[in-house]
Amino acid sequence: MTGKRAVAQLLQHLQALGVSHIPRVTPVARLQAASANPAPPRPARSTTARSATARSATAQQQTPAARQDQTSQRTRLSTAAAGRDQGLTVPSALPEVAALIQQSPSSRDERKQALCALQGIVAACSRCEQLASRRTQTVFGVGNPEAKIMFLGEAPGREEDEQGEPFVGPAGQLLNKIIAATKLRREDLYICNILRCRPPGNRNPLPQEAANCREFLQAQIDLVRPEYIVCWGGVAAHNLLNVQTPVSRMRQQFFEYGGARVLVTYHPSFLLRNADAKKLVWEDMQYFMQHLGTQDD
Ligand code: URA
Protein backbone atom coordinates (compact mmCIF):
# COMPACT_ATOMS: atom_id res chain seq x y z
CA MET A 1 0.00 0.00 0.00
CA THR A 2 1.39 3.44 -0.86
CA GLY A 3 1.96 5.94 1.92
CA LYS A 4 -0.61 8.20 0.31
CA ARG A 5 -3.32 5.55 0.36
CA ALA A 6 -2.43 4.57 3.91
CA VAL A 7 -2.82 8.17 5.06
CA ALA A 8 -6.12 8.53 3.20
CA GLN A 9 -7.40 5.34 4.83
CA LEU A 10 -6.25 6.45 8.26
CA LEU A 11 -8.09 9.74 7.83
CA GLN A 12 -11.24 7.93 6.67
CA HIS A 13 -10.94 5.64 9.66
CA LEU A 14 -10.62 8.59 12.05
CA GLN A 15 -13.63 10.25 10.43
CA ALA A 16 -15.63 7.05 10.83
CA LEU A 17 -14.72 7.14 14.52
CA GLY A 18 -16.20 10.62 14.73
CA VAL A 19 -12.97 12.64 14.61
CA SER A 20 -13.90 15.72 12.62
CA HIS A 21 -11.05 17.98 13.55
CA ILE A 22 -7.36 17.20 13.60
CA PRO A 23 -5.60 20.23 14.97
CA ARG A 24 -2.62 21.37 13.01
CA VAL A 25 0.61 21.71 14.90
CA THR A 26 0.84 25.38 13.98
CA PRO A 27 -2.53 26.51 12.58
CA VAL A 28 -1.27 29.92 11.70
CA ALA A 29 2.29 29.82 12.84
CA ARG A 30 4.16 33.02 12.55
CA LEU A 31 7.38 32.27 10.77
CA GLN A 32 10.49 34.21 11.55
CA ALA A 33 10.71 37.55 9.88
CA ALA A 34 13.22 37.22 7.09
CA SER A 35 14.88 40.49 7.86
CA ALA A 36 15.43 39.72 11.54
CA ASN A 37 16.25 36.05 11.14
CA PRO A 38 17.02 34.63 7.75
CA ALA A 39 14.49 31.95 6.96
CA PRO A 40 15.74 28.38 6.88
CA PRO A 41 16.91 27.21 3.46
CA ARG A 42 13.94 26.74 1.21
CA PRO A 43 12.99 23.09 1.15
CA ALA A 44 12.32 21.44 -2.17
CA ARG A 45 8.95 22.54 -3.53
CA SER A 46 7.10 19.38 -2.64
CA THR A 47 8.73 18.97 0.76
CA THR A 48 7.65 22.32 2.17
CA ALA A 49 4.63 20.62 3.70
CA ARG A 50 6.06 19.77 7.10
CA SER A 51 4.36 18.74 10.29
CA ALA A 52 5.15 16.77 13.40
CA THR A 53 3.83 13.65 11.71
CA ALA A 54 5.72 14.28 8.52
CA ARG A 55 8.90 14.59 10.50
CA SER A 56 8.50 11.10 11.95
CA ALA A 57 10.70 8.29 10.75
CA THR A 58 7.79 6.67 8.91
CA ALA A 59 6.97 9.87 7.13
CA GLN A 60 10.56 10.29 6.01
CA GLN A 61 10.09 7.13 3.97
CA GLN A 62 7.09 8.65 2.19
CA THR A 63 7.34 10.11 -1.25
CA PRO A 64 7.18 13.93 -1.46
CA ALA A 65 3.80 13.61 -3.19
CA ALA A 66 2.46 11.49 -0.32
CA ARG A 67 3.70 14.03 2.23
CA GLN A 68 2.07 16.84 0.28
CA ASP A 69 -1.14 14.88 0.06
CA GLN A 70 -1.07 14.32 3.80
CA THR A 71 -0.74 18.05 4.50
CA SER A 72 -3.48 18.79 2.04
CA GLN A 73 -5.82 16.24 3.65
CA ARG A 74 -5.15 17.69 7.07
CA THR A 75 -5.73 21.22 5.80
CA ARG A 76 -9.02 20.16 4.22
CA LEU A 77 -10.23 18.52 7.41
CA SER A 78 -9.32 21.43 9.66
CA THR A 79 -10.81 23.96 7.22
CA ALA A 80 -14.05 22.02 6.99
CA ALA A 81 -14.18 21.69 10.78
CA ALA A 82 -13.62 25.44 11.17
CA GLY A 83 -16.48 26.08 8.73
CA ARG A 84 -18.82 23.80 10.67
CA ASP A 85 -17.76 25.47 13.95
CA GLN A 86 -18.93 28.75 12.44
CA GLY A 87 -22.33 27.25 11.66
CA LEU A 88 -21.70 27.07 7.92
CA THR A 89 -22.82 24.28 5.67
CA VAL A 90 -19.70 22.66 4.33
CA PRO A 91 -20.70 21.19 0.95
CA SER A 92 -19.88 17.55 0.33
CA ALA A 93 -16.56 17.17 -1.42
CA LEU A 94 -16.89 16.43 -5.12
CA PRO A 95 -15.33 13.06 -6.01
CA GLU A 96 -14.22 14.41 -9.38
CA VAL A 97 -12.21 17.14 -7.66
CA ALA A 98 -10.69 14.64 -5.23
CA ALA A 99 -9.75 12.42 -8.18
CA LEU A 100 -7.81 15.25 -9.80
CA ILE A 101 -5.83 15.86 -6.61
CA GLN A 102 -5.22 12.18 -6.00
CA GLN A 103 -3.48 11.91 -9.35
CA SER A 104 -0.82 14.23 -7.83
CA PRO A 105 0.04 15.83 -11.16
CA SER A 106 3.64 16.97 -11.06
CA SER A 107 4.82 18.11 -14.49
CA ARG A 108 3.74 21.48 -15.80
CA ASP A 109 1.56 19.84 -18.45
CA GLU A 110 -0.08 17.50 -15.97
CA ARG A 111 -0.90 20.38 -13.63
CA LYS A 112 -2.18 22.45 -16.53
CA GLN A 113 -4.49 19.65 -17.61
CA ALA A 114 -5.75 19.08 -14.07
CA LEU A 115 -6.41 22.82 -13.62
CA CYS A 116 -8.25 22.86 -16.92
CA ALA A 117 -10.42 19.95 -15.79
CA LEU A 118 -11.05 21.71 -12.48
CA GLN A 119 -12.02 24.88 -14.35
CA GLY A 120 -14.69 22.85 -16.16
CA ILE A 121 -16.05 21.55 -12.87
CA VAL A 122 -16.14 25.07 -11.42
CA ALA A 123 -17.96 26.38 -14.49
CA ALA A 124 -20.86 24.03 -13.72
CA CYS A 125 -21.06 24.97 -10.01
CA SER A 126 -24.33 26.32 -8.66
CA ARG A 127 -23.66 26.06 -4.92
CA CYS A 128 -24.28 29.80 -4.45
CA GLU A 129 -27.66 30.21 -6.10
CA GLN A 130 -27.63 34.00 -6.17
CA LEU A 131 -24.13 34.25 -7.63
CA ALA A 132 -24.58 31.43 -10.13
CA SER A 133 -27.83 32.89 -11.46
CA ARG A 134 -26.29 36.33 -12.05
CA ARG A 135 -22.82 35.53 -13.33
CA THR A 136 -21.74 35.95 -16.94
CA GLN A 137 -19.22 33.20 -16.29
CA THR A 138 -17.07 31.81 -13.51
CA VAL A 139 -13.65 33.41 -13.01
CA PHE A 140 -11.33 30.54 -12.26
CA GLY A 141 -7.71 31.63 -12.11
CA VAL A 142 -4.85 32.37 -14.44
CA GLY A 143 -1.11 31.94 -14.63
CA ASN A 144 1.72 29.50 -14.32
CA PRO A 145 0.38 26.09 -13.27
CA GLU A 146 3.58 25.48 -11.28
CA ALA A 147 4.03 29.02 -10.01
CA LYS A 148 6.15 29.52 -6.94
CA ILE A 149 3.90 32.42 -5.93
CA MET A 150 0.12 32.53 -5.81
CA PHE A 151 -1.70 35.86 -5.63
CA LEU A 152 -5.02 35.55 -3.84
CA GLY A 153 -7.71 38.20 -4.20
CA GLU A 154 -11.26 38.52 -3.03
CA ALA A 155 -13.79 37.96 -5.79
CA PRO A 156 -14.36 38.94 -9.41
CA GLY A 157 -15.70 42.41 -10.17
CA ARG A 158 -17.66 43.54 -13.20
CA GLU A 159 -14.78 43.40 -15.70
CA GLU A 160 -13.60 40.06 -14.39
CA ASP A 161 -17.11 38.64 -14.69
CA GLU A 162 -17.27 39.86 -18.28
CA GLN A 163 -13.82 38.67 -19.32
CA GLY A 164 -13.55 35.51 -17.20
CA GLU A 165 -10.12 36.45 -15.81
CA PRO A 166 -9.13 37.68 -12.36
CA PHE A 167 -7.78 41.18 -11.86
CA VAL A 168 -8.45 42.70 -15.27
CA GLY A 169 -10.45 45.74 -14.03
CA PRO A 170 -9.13 48.89 -12.31
CA ALA A 171 -7.75 46.92 -9.33
CA GLY A 172 -6.04 44.59 -11.78
CA GLN A 173 -4.42 47.50 -13.64
CA LEU A 174 -2.97 48.68 -10.38
CA LEU A 175 -1.87 45.15 -9.52
CA ASN A 176 -0.05 45.02 -12.87
CA LYS A 177 1.81 48.20 -11.94
CA ILE A 178 2.75 46.69 -8.59
CA ILE A 179 4.01 43.54 -10.32
CA ALA A 180 5.99 45.66 -12.77
CA ALA A 181 7.56 47.60 -9.91
CA THR A 182 8.83 44.41 -8.28
CA LYS A 183 11.20 41.92 -9.82
CA LEU A 184 8.31 39.52 -10.21
CA ARG A 185 7.23 38.45 -13.64
CA ARG A 186 3.69 37.47 -14.55
CA GLU A 187 4.99 34.01 -15.44
CA ASP A 188 6.14 33.55 -11.82
CA LEU A 189 2.56 33.89 -10.66
CA TYR A 190 -0.74 32.11 -10.43
CA ILE A 191 -3.65 34.45 -9.67
CA CYS A 192 -7.03 33.51 -8.24
CA ASN A 193 -9.65 34.61 -5.73
CA ILE A 194 -11.57 33.44 -2.68
CA LEU A 195 -14.72 33.38 -4.87
CA ARG A 196 -15.07 32.35 -8.51
CA CYS A 197 -18.30 34.29 -9.11
CA ARG A 198 -18.99 38.00 -8.86
CA PRO A 199 -20.97 39.08 -5.79
CA PRO A 200 -23.73 41.57 -6.66
CA GLY A 201 -22.60 45.18 -6.40
CA ASN A 202 -19.11 43.94 -5.55
CA ARG A 203 -20.12 43.30 -1.96
CA ASN A 204 -17.80 41.23 0.20
CA PRO A 205 -18.16 37.46 -0.15
CA LEU A 206 -20.54 35.98 2.41
CA PRO A 207 -19.00 33.37 4.74
CA GLN A 208 -21.25 30.68 3.23
CA GLU A 209 -20.14 31.65 -0.30
CA ALA A 210 -16.50 31.42 0.73
CA ALA A 211 -17.20 28.02 2.31
CA ASN A 212 -18.92 26.86 -0.89
CA CYS A 213 -15.95 27.91 -3.02
CA ARG A 214 -13.26 26.66 -0.65
CA GLU A 215 -12.99 23.24 -2.20
CA PHE A 216 -12.02 24.85 -5.50
CA LEU A 217 -9.50 27.23 -3.95
CA GLN A 218 -7.96 24.36 -2.02
CA ALA A 219 -7.78 22.26 -5.17
CA GLN A 220 -6.03 25.11 -7.02
CA ILE A 221 -3.53 25.38 -4.16
CA ASP A 222 -3.03 21.60 -4.17
CA LEU A 223 -2.42 21.52 -7.92
CA VAL A 224 -0.18 24.59 -8.22
CA ARG A 225 1.58 23.92 -4.88
CA PRO A 226 2.87 27.49 -4.45
CA GLU A 227 5.64 28.16 -1.96
CA TYR A 228 4.17 31.58 -1.28
CA ILE A 229 0.65 32.93 -1.20
CA VAL A 230 0.20 36.70 -1.20
CA CYS A 231 -3.19 37.65 0.21
CA TRP A 232 -4.36 40.90 -1.29
CA GLY A 233 -6.63 42.39 1.36
CA GLY A 234 -8.37 41.29 4.49
CA VAL A 235 -11.01 39.17 2.77
CA ALA A 236 -8.35 36.95 1.21
CA ALA A 237 -6.30 36.73 4.40
CA HIS A 238 -9.20 36.20 6.78
CA ASN A 239 -10.79 33.50 4.67
CA LEU A 240 -7.59 31.66 3.87
CA LEU A 241 -6.19 31.68 7.39
CA ASN A 242 -9.46 31.72 9.33
CA VAL A 243 -8.49 34.76 11.39
CA GLN A 244 -9.98 38.21 11.84
CA THR A 245 -6.82 40.18 12.51
CA PRO A 246 -6.70 43.53 10.68
CA VAL A 247 -4.34 43.66 7.70
CA SER A 248 -2.39 46.40 9.48
CA ARG A 249 -1.36 43.82 12.08
CA MET A 250 -0.66 40.99 9.64
CA ARG A 251 1.73 42.82 7.33
CA GLN A 252 5.46 42.25 7.20
CA GLN A 253 5.52 38.71 8.51
CA PHE A 254 4.90 35.27 7.11
CA PHE A 255 2.09 32.95 8.12
CA GLU A 256 1.86 29.30 7.24
CA TYR A 257 -0.88 27.60 5.28
CA GLY A 258 -0.60 23.99 4.16
CA GLY A 259 3.13 24.23 3.56
CA ALA A 260 3.08 27.65 1.88
CA ARG A 261 4.31 30.90 3.38
CA VAL A 262 1.59 33.51 3.38
CA LEU A 263 2.14 37.24 3.15
CA VAL A 264 -0.70 39.70 3.72
CA THR A 265 -0.99 43.19 2.31
CA TYR A 266 -3.68 45.68 1.29
CA HIS A 267 -6.01 45.09 -1.64
CA PRO A 268 -5.36 47.17 -4.78
CA SER A 269 -8.98 48.44 -4.62
CA PHE A 270 -8.20 49.84 -1.18
CA LEU A 271 -5.21 51.63 -2.67
CA LEU A 272 -7.44 53.16 -5.34
CA ARG A 273 -9.47 54.76 -2.53
CA ASN A 274 -6.54 55.44 -0.18
CA ALA A 275 -3.50 56.55 -2.13
CA ASP A 276 -1.53 56.94 1.12
CA ALA A 277 -1.57 53.17 1.57
CA LYS A 278 0.44 52.67 -1.63
CA LYS A 279 3.66 53.22 0.25
CA LEU A 280 2.67 50.51 2.75
CA VAL A 281 2.13 48.00 -0.05
CA TRP A 282 5.44 49.02 -1.55
CA GLU A 283 7.08 48.32 1.84
CA ASP A 284 5.39 44.92 1.89
CA MET A 285 6.61 44.12 -1.61
CA GLN A 286 10.15 45.13 -0.66
CA TYR A 287 9.91 42.91 2.40
CA PHE A 288 8.81 40.06 0.16
CA MET A 289 11.49 40.67 -2.46
CA GLN A 290 14.17 40.82 0.21
CA HIS A 291 12.94 37.53 1.58
CA LEU A 292 12.90 35.91 -1.86
CA GLY A 293 16.42 37.24 -2.41
CA THR A 294 17.62 35.27 0.62
CA GLN A 295 16.21 32.01 -0.73
CA ASP A 296 17.95 29.56 -3.05
CA ASP A 297 16.46 29.07 -6.48
N1 URA B 1 -10.62 42.19 -7.02
C1 URA B 1 -10.30 40.94 -6.62
O1 URA B 1 -10.09 40.69 -5.46
N2 URA B 1 -10.20 40.02 -7.54
C2 URA B 1 -10.39 40.25 -8.82
O2 URA B 1 -10.26 39.31 -9.60
C3 URA B 1 -10.70 41.55 -9.19
C4 URA B 1 -10.83 42.51 -8.29
Side-chain angles (χ1 to χ4, degrees), residues 139 152-157 160 165-169 171-172 192-193 232 267 269:
V139 178
L152 183 61
E154 182 176 318
E160 289 79 18
E165 245 194 57
F167 283 106
V168 291
C192 61
N193 284 308
W232 293 92
H267 194 284
S269 299

Side-chain angles (χ1 to χ4, degrees), residues 194-211:
I194 293 294
L195 294 192
R196 273 130 210 79
C197 296
R198 181 191 181 201
N202 296 344
R203 64 157 166 74
N204 280 354
L206 302 176
Q208 185 59 58
E209 292 165 349

